Amino acid sequence: MEWWKDEIIYQIYPRSFQDSNGDGIGDIPGIISRLDHLQELGVGAIWLGPVYRSPNADNGYDISDYMDINPEYGTMADMEELIAEAKARGIRILMDLVINHTSTDHHWFRRSRDKNSPYADYYIWAKGDDRGHLPNNWTGFFGEDCWEYDPERCEYYLHLFAKSQADLNYRNPAVLEEVKDILRFWLDKGVAGFRCDVINLLWKDSLDNGKRKLALTGLEHYCSLEGTHEILRELRKVLDEYGAYTVGETVFVTPETARDLCAPERKELDAVFSFEHMECDQYFIKWFKRKFRPKVFFDCLVKWQRELDWNSLYLENHDQPRSIPRFGSREHWKESGKLLALLLLTLRGTPFIYQGQEIGMLDFDFTRMRQLNDVESKNVDRVLRRFHIPRKLRWKIVSRTSRDNARTPFQWDAGPNGGFTTGRPWLGVNHNCAEINLASQEDDPDSIWSWYKDLCALRKEREVLRRGDFEALETGDQVFAYRRALGEERMTVVLNFSDRPAQVGYTGSLVRSNYPREGFDGALRPWEGVLLEDGR
Ligand code: TEU
Ligand code: CA
């Protein structure tokens, strides 16, 4: 039963959702205390960010024990209670499956440093040459080299991400068997599936030198290779024993390579997170921003709607800056926040709402590097410093794109620390929590929160919005229009992504607008979106 074609999934970044014990760190009991919020929103599943034992070099994406819970987040009993309490509310739990790499604190890695141990080949080790050169010219995702010398083994190990995130070696069949055990462990506990971290990078073919690129040299040796597809088909056999859902985070996918990963007949993944629509406001790499181009964004969304029968839909996550400043308008905060919600919840696919998106949370209000936590942001600042970029310009480059923009604690109310913690928060709470918080929106029928709740309910009520076909009507420089159709049901969505009004020729009976209005006469106000029935 493809439940994920009828449900909306909510992403929780556990460190920043709700603290329950005053240590300033979000935790599992805190999540349990907020499940009623998620049930009221109307989501059918939670993608829970990594809560496994971890030294937190990358806030849990550096795992040292896949079958134990980070004590900062709680206990295994807490995790089992979360699964049960969520289930009691009709909410499934998806775990974050991070199997491209482990923490160098994992016992597999520690023992892999001894060439004679049974774990010697769990990771990708290589000799440099005796002049101190690295095994090849590949570069990593976090702005640093991707080879680290280990003085005990006297060899280098590969890490495409932080140096404490060592890439696993899937040429070793024992690694695949370990991963199958991890899947069974969590599926036996009742989770409904997994979000799979950088899952299209698992198989590295040769370690030959890669082509020099502006960033990420060597991709051709490890991105979406046939070996990875074989691994995914093997893992799918275990997942199918449980009817589990998988959505893969897949860097650099195109619709073609995405289909090879998630078309049903491939029996690999059920969906992927693509990145192309999140690259419409950058030059080549995300640190070099450009003005957001709505038409490029619309055309990209239309391409992916046309080329994949089904996929995930998202505008925010824990790696991306917030969507209103990026694709909407701070000046029209409420209208554009609602407009983006109307887009997300009326396209075809499985919508993902990231914590805080439902109340219009914005980027952090930090002013200096020492307030940041993110390893990627710190590495990039170090690289820029090596190129003698002045501090002010470094801060401008890093702060616009830093992943910490979406990692500030959830703003529950206007009280101290936005109601997130009674202690000192691990990452600063945005001072705008006085104005932007759930408590101030819950009883306001015109709030972004009320709008999300209403649209989630409407999507559940109207099958045409979940299962209907998609037809693009217009992708202009400011207006995006499309139609959903199922049997006799037709709904037209018309979105004005601009500070300027727009006049359009679509007709139909008004179902929703993010502005108060009676009927629809074709005149769209700034950042207005309308949903029409029997649109023409
Ligand atoms: O992210 C993979 C990844 O490539 C992103 O970091 C991306 O490069 C960029 O930050 C967004 O454009 C996954 C996790 O989502 C991320 O949090 C982890 O840091 C990373 O893998 C390593 O596990
Ligand atoms: Ca806590």
Side-chain angles (χ1 to χ4, degrees):
M1 196 271 276
E2 297 174 327
W3 60 267
W4 34 275
K5 289 192 171 178
D6 295 309
E7 297 292 356
I8 295 155
I9 301 177
Y10 187 91
Q11 180 193 351
I12 288 179
Y13 194 71
R15 209 167 186 79
S16 299
F17 191 62
Q18 177 66 69
D19 175 24
S20 72
N21 60 353
D23 66 357
I25 299 170
D27 48 50
I28 294 169
I31 296 171
I32 293 171
S33 73
R34 295 291 186 178
L35 284 174
D36 290 344
H37 164 65
L38 302 182
Q39 187 176 21
E40 187 180 355
L41 177 56
V43 299
I46 292 168
W47 155 22
L48 179 63
V51 291
Y52 318 98
R53 197 172 279 278
S54 162
N56 287 323
D58 187 15
N59 292 344
Y61 283 94
D62 50 316
I63 296 168
S64 55
D65 187 342
Y66 289 87
M67 299 181 186
D68 196 5
I69 300 295
N70 180 337
E72 288 180 321
Y73 295 145
T75 63
M76 187 57 81
D78 292 328
M79 188 62 223
E80 289 161 354
E81 185 186 351
L82 171 59
I83 294 168
E85 285 298 321
K87 188 172 184 173
R89 293 168 174 80
I91 297 174
R92 296 169 173 85
I93 297 287
L94 305 177
M95 297 296 273
D96 208 319
L97 186 70
V98 186
I99 55 170
N100 176 67
H101 46 268
T102 75
S103 166
T104 47
D105 279 7
H106 199 293
H107 77 89
W108 298 343
F109 184 81
R110 289 203 305 275
R111 295 163 79 173
S112 170
R113 300 171 70 186
D114 168 4
K115 282 186 191 170
N116 302 313
S117 98
Y119 296 86
D121 289 336
Y122 269 46
Y123 296 85
I124 299 169
W125 293 95
K127 290 190 177 313
D129 63 16
D130 53 15
R131 294 191 304 282
H133 291 149
L134 302 179
N136 64 26
N137 67 343
W138 297 3
T139 54
F141 282 74
F142 283 171
E144 57 186 26
D145 290 333
C146 59
W147 292 99
E148 181 70 11
Y149 187 73
D150 177 69
E152 184 177 328
R153 179 156 170 161
C154 298
E155 288 183 345
Y156 292 85
Y157 65 86
L158 178 70
H159 61 89
L160 293 180
F161 293 91
K163 68 178 67 167
S164 63
Q165 293 171 295
D167 281 57
L168 283 165
N169 170 22
Y170 281 89
R171 291 170 167 279
N172 178 355
V175 170
L176 188 59
E177 292 314 306
E178 298 276 11
V179 170
K180 289 180 181 177
D181 290 347
I182 295 167
L183 294 181
R184 289 196 181 93
F185 179 85
W186 286 107
L187 291 166
D188 286 339
K189 287 199 179 293
V191 304
F194 301 92
R195 175 266 187 187
C196 308
D197 188 64
V198 288
I199 200 68
N200 61 324
L201 306 183
L202 298 184
W203 184 271
K204 284 77 174 178
D205 62 12
S206 67
L207 293 181
D208 293 350
N209 275 15
K211 290 194 288 291
R212 279 248 168 261
K213 290 190 175 76
L214 178 66
L216 290 173
T217 299
L219 267 175
E220 70 276 17
H221 293 295
Y222 59 74
C223 191
S224 289
L225 299 183
E226 183 48 35
T228 289
H229 292 291
E230 288 165 16
I231 293 162
L232 291 177
R233 286 193 286 273
E234 274 305 302
L235 297 179
R236 181 63 180 255
K237 292 173 187 167
V238 176
L239 293 157
D240 281 351
E241 291 168 24
Y242 299 81
Y245 167 74
T246 50
V247 53
E249 183 210 28
T250 48
V251 289
F252 303 109
V253 279
T254 62
E256 295 74 23
T257 56
R259 258 198 308 276
D260 287 345
L261 286 160
C262 68
E265 65 276 9
R266 297 282 300 185
K267 297 198 81 53
E268 295 183 21
L269 300 166
D270 292 308
V272 297
F273 288 122
S274 63
F275 283 76
E276 190 179 352
H277 66 295
M278 302 299 267
E279 297 167 351
C280 299
D281 59 351
Q282 68 186 51
Y283 288 107
F284 307 112
I285 57 177
K286 65 181 189 174
W287 302 99
F288 302 128
K289 284 294 181 195
R290 66 185 301 171
K291 187 173 178 331
F292 171 60
R293 298 162 291 162
K295 179 165 175 48
V296 174
F297 183 67
F298 304 153
D299 288 337
C300 175
L301 291 172
V302 167
K303 177 173 77 172
W304 280 84
Q305 287 281 300
R306 282 179 176 152
E307 301 226 8
L308 269 75
D309 292 339
W310 196 271
N311 203 25
S312 68
L313 305 165
Y314 76 100
L315 295 174
E316 294 193 12
N317 64 36
H318 65 294
D319 289 335
Q320 300 283 346
R322 291 283 181 177
S323 59
I324 293 175
R326 203 172 168 191
F327 309 127
S329 156
R330 282 177 183 272
E331 294 64 41
H332 291 81
W333 165 75
K334 182 184 289 189
E335 293 80 8
S336 67
K338 290 177 164 181
L339 182 81
L340 290 166
L342 187 58
L343 169 69
L344 178 71
L345 293 165
T346 57
L347 285 173
R348 185 186 64 221
T350 302
F352 282 73
I353 297 171
Y354 176 62
Q355 69 179 51
Q357 187 179 339
E358 77 272 31
I359 58 171
M361 276 180 66
L362 298 173
D363 293 331
F364 60 52
D365 57 353
F366 300 149
T367 54
R368 55 180 57 99
M369 270 309 293
R370 70 162 175 266
Q371 293 173 285
L372 297 193
N373 163 275
D374 176 23
V375 59
E376 181 189 45
S377 304
K378 291 178 179 176
N379 284 354
V380 169
D381 182 58
R382 199 164 38 248
V383 169
L384 294 173
R385 209 178 312 143
R386 275 210 298 271
F387 285 96
H388 308 297
I389 306 291
R391 186 179 56 76
K392 268 193 173 181
L393 180 54
R394 293 206 311 269
W395 174 246
K396 184 177 178 199
I397 293 170
V398 172
S399 61
R400 283 182 308 191
T401 300
S402 171
R403 302 186 301 176
D404 281 334
N405 276 300
R407 298 178 178 185
T408 60
F410 192 102
Q411 294 164 197
W412 296 100
D413 57 44
N417 297 314
F420 165 69
T421 180
T422 56
R424 177 183 160 78
W426 73 281
L427 187 68
V429 177
N430 194 311
H431 292 90
N432 67 18
C433 68
E435 296 82 33
I436 299 177
N437 62 72
L438 176 67
S440 66
Q441 297 187 30
E442 277 179 316
D443 301 327
D444 173 0
D446 189 42
S447 67
I448 293 177
W449 154 253
S450 297
W451 175 260
Y452 264 95
K453 198 169 66 167
D454 173 54
L455 287 187
C456 288
L458 187 67
R459 188 180 170 98
K460 301 275 295 175
E461 178 198 324
R462 302 301 305 270
E463 190 179 9
V464 62
L465 292 177
R466 298 193 311 277
R467 302 293 190 114
D469 293 338
F470 171 90
E471 177 195 355
L473 300 174
E474 179 177 352
T475 58
D477 290 327
Q478 74 175 95
V479 172
F480 183 22
Y482 51 90
R483 178 171 296 142
R484 303 293 310 275
L486 184 71
E488 293 308 305
E489 287 188 281
R490 291 219 172 345
M491 288 192 130
T492 297
V493 182
V494 193
L495 308 168
N496 178 17
F497 271 73
S498 166
D499 293 327
R500 304 184 309 279
Q503 185 65 38
V504 295
Y506 305 103
T507 59
S509 62
L510 183 70
V511 176
R512 290 291 188 280
S513 165
N514 58 347
Y515 277 82
R517 67 159 55 242
E518 300 294 328
F520 183 60
D521 56 1
L524 289 171
R525 282 159 286 192
W527 300 99
E528 181 169 11
V530 294
L531 177 61
L532 306 173
E533 185 92 52
D534 295 327
R536 293 278 175 270

